[in-house]
Every structure is written in structure tokens, then in C-alpha cells.
């Protein structure tokens, strides 16, 4: 009888340790998602800011400046429901304006254009990486939250179900190839 109680106690402790470890892992994944989302937001904001600076610098022709400024402004001002669409539209505007290497070279030749083009190229390259890190963290958390144990014991608590950030982040070819 005591041996049976000891084995039941050992089993309960093992189950408790497993549940605690799983809850801790899920908590760490949610923290990783929050950090990755903050990094993604920072990169998106940087890309929009650099684009607005370039659009108002007088380096581009007026039509391109208006297109870029409006797309960057919409991306910066978009609420959460429209954010992915606004960021995709900014990517499309960047590809439309900087689709040809000649446009990038024209910007580089203008006074202060070398720095502006380099900064924009760096910002454009960092967005897909930040989005990939965020979406990888979301994918890992979703996979763990799908396990029966996590659902049955409600180990996720009241944390919202993580959502991936889906947007068109294809950089303009002329900017993506820059060192």
C-alpha cells in the first residue's frame, strides 16, 4: 500500500514538473514573440522614417517623392488592423520608385544621396529578417499551443493566440543588391 502511494506521488510530481516546464517554455516563447514584434515594429518604423526623409530631401523627382511620402506616412499612421496592408503598399511604392538601378544611382549622385540611399538599402534589407524572426517565434508558439496537454491544462493562460505578420516585404532589386 505505501509503495503504491509512493509511486502515485512520484507520478504526480513528474507530471507536475512536466506541466511546469511546458508552461515555462510557452511563457518564454510568448516573451520571444513580444521581443521579435518590438524589433519588427522598430525596423518597419525605421524603413518608413528613412523613406519619408528621402522623399522630402528633394533628391527625387516630385512624383516619386509624393508616392513615397504618402506610402510611408500611411505605414506610420496605420492602425493594427491595416498595418500589414499599409506596409505592403510601402514595399510596392519602394519597388515602383527604385525598380531601376538608374534611379538609385541618381539618388546617390545628389548631395547627401549616398548616405540616404545606403540607409534606405539597410532599412529595406532588415525588414524581411525581422519579420522572419517574428513569424518563426509565432510558428513555434502555435505548435506548442496545439498540443493536447497545453489545451487541457490551459497552460497558455489568457495570452492571446499569436498571429504572424504577413506582408509584402520584397525589397527593390536595385536596393537589395547594395553592399
Amino acid at each position: 500500500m505505501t509503495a503504491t502511494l509512493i509511486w502515485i506521488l512520484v507520478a504526480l510530481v513528474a507530471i507536475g514538473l512536466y506541466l511546469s516546464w511546458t508552461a515555462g517554455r510557452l511563457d518564454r516563447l510568448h516573451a520571444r514573440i513580444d521581443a521579435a514584434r518590438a524589433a519588427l515594429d522598430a525596423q518597419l518604423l525605421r524603413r518608413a522614417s528613412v523613406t519619408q526623409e528621402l522623399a522630402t530631401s528633394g533628391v527625387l523627382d516630385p512624383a516619386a517623392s509624393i508616392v513615397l511620402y504618402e506610402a510611408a506616412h500611411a505605414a506610420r499612421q496605420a492602425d493594427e488592423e491595416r498595418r500589414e496592408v499599409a506596409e505592403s503598399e510601402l514595399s510596392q511604392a519602394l519597388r515602383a520608385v527604385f525598380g531601376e538601378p538608374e534611379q538609385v544611382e541618381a539618388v546617390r549622385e545628389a548631395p547627401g544621396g549616398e548616405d540616404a540611399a545606403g540607409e534606405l538599402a539597410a532599412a529595406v534589407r532588415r525588414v524581411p529578417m525581422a519579420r522572419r524572426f517574428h513569424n518563426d517565434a509565432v510558428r513555434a508558439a502555435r505548435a506548442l499551443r496545439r498540443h493536447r496537454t497545453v489545451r487541457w491544462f490551459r497552460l497558455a493562460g489568457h495570452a492571446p493566440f499569436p498571429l504572424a505578420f504577413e506582408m509584402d516585404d520584397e525589397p527593390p532589386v536595385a536596393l537589395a543588391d547594395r553592399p
Side-chain angles (χ1 to χ4, degrees):
M1 171 110 162
T2 22
T4 306
L5 287 176
I6 290 173
W7 283 111
I8 290 173
L9 185 63
V10 167
L12 288 176
V13 168
I15 290 170
L17 286 173
Y18 172 73
L19 292 175
S20 175
W21 176 80
T22 304
R25 181 171 171 229
L26 191 57
D27 186 51
R28 287 188 301 276
L29 283 172
H30 283 136
R32 189 171 132 205
I33 289 170
D34 291 342
R37 181 58 190 244
L40 175 61
D41 287 341
Q43 292 304 324
L44 292 171
L45 181 63
R46 182 172 184 258
R47 180 180 76 156
S49 298
V50 170
T51 302
Q52 277 185 321
E53 286 178 27
L54 185 61
T56 58
S57 68
V59 173
L60 299 171
D61 63 271
S65 293
I66 290 171
V67 167
L68 285 181
Y69 183 83
E70 287 180 355
H73 181 71
R76 288 183 73 173
Q77 300 299 320
D79 56 355
E80 277 304 309
E81 292 88 36
R82 244 191 81 56
R83 181 97 187 263
E84 293 172 351
V85 173
E87 294 293 346
S88 294
E89 289 171 353
L90 177 55
S91 295
Q92 292 166 1
L94 285 166
R95 280 196 309 271
V97 171
F98 295 108
E100 300 297 322
E102 294 81 25
Q103 181 68 22
V104 176
E105 290 307 318
V107 169
R108 287 183 167 281
E109 291 169 2
E114 185 74 33
D115 292 337
E119 197 172 341
L120 182 61
V124 163
R125 280 193 309 266
R126 287 183 181 138
V127 167
M129 287 186 292
R131 189 176 74 86
R132 194 172 316 118
F133 290 142
H134 175 266
N135 288 349
D136 286 346
V138 166
R139 212 172 353 269
R142 282 181 167 183
L144 184 58
R145 286 181 72 154
R146 279 192 211 105
H147 290 174
R148 277 188 222 132
T149 310
V150 172
R151 290 193 322 258
W152 288 348
F153 290 97
R154 298 176 188 215
L155 297 180
H158 298 289
F161 195 73
L163 299 173
F165 194 87
E166 297 300 331
M167 65 171 271
D168 173 11
D169 61 2
E170 183 70 29
V173 176
L175 285 176
D177 294 338
R178 292 284 209 231

